[in-house]
Amino acid sequence: MDKKKIHTVYSLACHLNLWEQVEIAVSRNLNDRETEKLLAEVSTLPVYKSRATRTLGTYVSKNGKPYCIRLQFALEQELLKETFLHELAHACDHRHNQNNRPYRRAHGLGWKRWATALGIEGKVRGKSEVLSQLYMERLKTVAICHSCGAEFKRLRRLNQKQSYTHLACGGRLVVI
């Protein structure tokens, strides 16, 4: 799979061998007409590669409509499947329970019902060793304590115009 390419929910679900599971879950929760309508809408939802190193995936809505799903493809295969279904549960919950309105109560009862129907646990936070490693590799030294020499690492730089104090020793941080 080309991890930079934009996918749709349908193409990624087929690639991960999950589309049949999605169809079954939707058809068990809705009547035939609603099933057809929901599947048609979510199947074309774009799936983008996320550069995030702290979140496994994200469901995005705009103007009261499902907009896209962002996934971190560096995840372990089983965790990628679970994260994909987790975000798809958000899309189904939004489309079915809160259509044309801003998405609220992201991990509420509606989402939990869809998560259960899709065959995943209703947990909110997942952990990936691969993603943790990726995060550690991306950290850069952004400041050094003038007093004790301690290094501070972050993904983003610190504001050069602001002054910072090392809480442990009270020394001034020199921003790099």
Side-chain angles (χ1 to χ4, degrees):
M1 170 174 28
D2 179 7
K3 295 179 180 174
K4 293 180 182 179
K5 183 181 176 192
I6 299 170
H7 298 279
T8 62
V9 164
Y10 176 76
S11 68
L12 185 58
C14 287
H15 179 78
L16 297 172
N17 297 318
L18 295 172
W19 187 247
E20 187 178 336
Q21 183 175 337
V22 171
E23 287 180 317
I24 291 168
V26 173
S27 67
R28 283 185 180 159
N29 281 333
L30 305 173
N31 65 41
D32 290 344
R33 193 167 138 244
E34 288 176 321
T35 295
E36 198 173 299
K37 193 173 178 186
L38 181 64
L39 286 175
E41 188 170 332
V42 298
S43 68
T44 59
L45 195 61
V47 180
Y48 296 100
K49 180 182 187 265
S50 172
R51 295 182 336 180
T53 54
R54 293 291 195 159
T55 57
L56 307 181
T58 308
Y59 165 70
V60 181
S61 65
K62 284 189 179 178
N63 301 322
K65 300 266 187 206
Y67 181 72
C68 74
I69 291 175
R70 292 191 186 113
L71 289 177
Q72 175 51 265
F73 285 98
L75 299 174
E76 299 86 343
Q77 186 71 10
E78 281 307 307
L79 193 52
L80 177 62
K81 288 180 176 183
E82 186 177 329
T83 303
F84 172 69
L85 291 172
H86 176 110
E87 302 310 331
L88 185 56
H90 286 298
C92 291
D93 178 37
H94 185 196
R95 169 54 190 78
H96 182 252
N97 296 323
Q98 303 174 43
N99 196 27
N100 296 324
R101 295 190 316 237
Y103 188 47
R104 302 279 187 248
R105 300 215 15 99
H107 294 105
L109 287 175
W111 175 81
K112 286 178 184 173
R113 280 190 210 109
W114 280 106
T116 301
L118 288 165
I120 58 171
E121 291 180 38
K123 65 181 181 178
V124 178
R125 300 274 184 251
K127 182 142 175 74
S128 166
E129 291 302 318
V130 172
L131 206 55
S132 295
Q133 176 90 23
L134 183 62
Y135 176 76
M136 296 305 289
E137 289 171 5
R138 288 185 181 173
L139 290 176
K140 305 178 267 296
T141 301
V142 295
I144 298 174
C145 178
H146 186 68
S147 297
C148 69
E151 290 186 359
F152 293 86
K153 295 180 181 254
R154 292 183 53 179
L155 289 177
R156 297 183 192 177
R157 301 202 177 280
L158 292 174
N159 185 342
Q160 295 273 351
K161 296 176 183 175
Q162 198 169 342
S163 63
Y164 299 92
T165 304
H166 185 194
L167 294 177
C169 74
R172 186 176 58 83
L173 296 183
V174 178
V175 178
I176 297 175

